[in-house]
């Protein structure tokens, strides 16, 4: 099957944005990050959107944003960790899951990075969220890559998969 876009999913802090940027460079594709687009359109940080308008409103922005972004083709799209849980990812997207352990995520994220994520503030709540979501990420993805590796290895694995399947 020919896909329109590559959509990266995975829990907060799994590395979707870093992998997405590197992959886009490698494939000469445009990179877009759903959270960044939402923040720019709302002129507000994710934290402020959660605080002032609530999570449900944020989820509706995510669905609208992924629908609009996928009107175009040939992009690498990084999603927020909750997007595939609450929104339908349009068909003809090649979904790649960046599969990370919760403890590895916590270890890797700086305090600043943690503070940008309202749902990571309470560690036990975040761990429960991770446990609830992990199977869905794996089921939705056509391909999962282990987050425990260096960016060039990711790119290599994803690139091989794409070439193998002649997908983009
Ligand atoms: C969320 C993940 C965040 C951001 C928001 C909610 C989630 O994105 O969309 O804080 O529900 O997992 P990252 O996965 O890029 O941190």
């Amino acid at each position: 099957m020919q896909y329109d876009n590559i959509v990266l999913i995975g829990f907060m802090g799994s590395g979707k944005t870093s992998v997405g940027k590197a992959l886009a460079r490698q494939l000469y594709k445009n990179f877009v990050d759903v959270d960044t687009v939402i923040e720019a359109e709302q002129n507000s940080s994710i934290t402020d959107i959660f605080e002032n308008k609530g999570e449900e409103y944020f989820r509706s922005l995510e669905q609208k944003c992924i629908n609009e972004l996928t009107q175009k083709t040939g992009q690498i799209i990084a999603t927020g960790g909750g997007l595939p849980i609450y929104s339908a990812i349009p068909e003809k997207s090649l979904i790649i899951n960046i599969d990370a352990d919760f403890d590895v995520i916590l270890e890797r994220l700086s305090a600043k990075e943690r503070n940008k994520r309202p749902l990571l503030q309470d560690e036990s709540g975040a761990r429960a969220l991770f446990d609830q979501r992990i199977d869905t990420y794996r089921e939705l993805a056509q391909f999962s890559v282990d987050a425990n590796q260096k960016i060039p290895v990711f790119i290599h694995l994803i690139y091989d998969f794409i070439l193998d399947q002649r997908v983009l």
Side-chain angles (χ1 to χ4, degrees), residues 1-52:
M1 173 174 175
Q2 190 77 20
Y3 295 94
D4 283 347
N5 293 290
I6 295 180
V7 175
L8 299 175
I9 66 168
F11 201 67
M12 292 172 262
S14 57
K16 292 161 293 193
T17 302
S18 316
V19 172
K21 282 183 179 165
L23 186 62
R25 266 198 304 277
Q26 180 77 32
L27 297 174
Y28 299 98
K29 301 285 180 194
N30 195 31
F31 171 76
V32 271
D33 184 291
V34 172
D35 283 343
T36 308
V37 172
I38 290 176
E39 288 185 319
E41 282 179 352
Q42 297 292 310
N43 196 21
S44 181
S45 69
I46 302 286
T47 305
D48 287 344
I49 299 172
F50 265 71
E51 223 168 87
N52 300 329

Side-chain angles (χ1 to χ4, degrees), residues 13-134:
S14 57
K16 292 161 293 193
T17 302
S18 316
V19 172
K21 282 183 179 165
L23 186 62
R25 266 198 304 277
Q26 180 77 32
L27 297 174
Y28 299 98
K29 301 285 180 194
N30 195 31
F31 171 76
V32 271
D33 184 291
V34 172
D35 283 343
T36 308
V37 172
I38 290 176
E39 288 185 319
E41 282 179 352
Q42 297 292 310
N43 196 21
S44 181
S45 69
I46 302 286
T47 305
D48 287 344
I49 299 172
F50 265 71
E51 223 168 87
N52 300 329
K53 304 259 178 85
E55 181 173 348
E56 208 173 307
Y57 179 74
F58 174 73
R59 299 303 174 196
S60 70
L61 295 178
E62 285 188 307
Q63 179 70 77
K64 192 167 147 274
C65 188
I66 192 75
N67 288 347
E68 282 171 9
L69 288 177
T70 51
Q71 299 298 308
K72 285 198 201 153
T73 62
Q75 310 162 100
I76 313 297
I77 302 174
T79 59
L83 188 142
I85 309 294
Y86 299 99
S87 296
I89 296 176
E91 273 180 42
K92 298 195 80 184
S93 304
L94 171 65
I95 302 177
I96 297 178
N97 170 38
I98 313 291
D99 208 50
D101 286 342
F102 186 72
D103 293 317
V104 172
I105 288 173
L106 281 193
E107 246 172 62
R108 285 203 310 210
L109 281 180
S110 64
K112 187 170 162 240
E113 286 299 315
R114 270 201 222 189
N115 284 340
K116 282 199 248 168
R117 296 171 165 92
L119 299 178
L120 267 190
Q121 298 314 304
D122 158 33
E123 192 179 316
S124 64
R127 191 181 289 273
L129 207 57
F130 178 88
D131 291 341
Q132 275 166 32
R133 290 178 176 181
I134 187 72

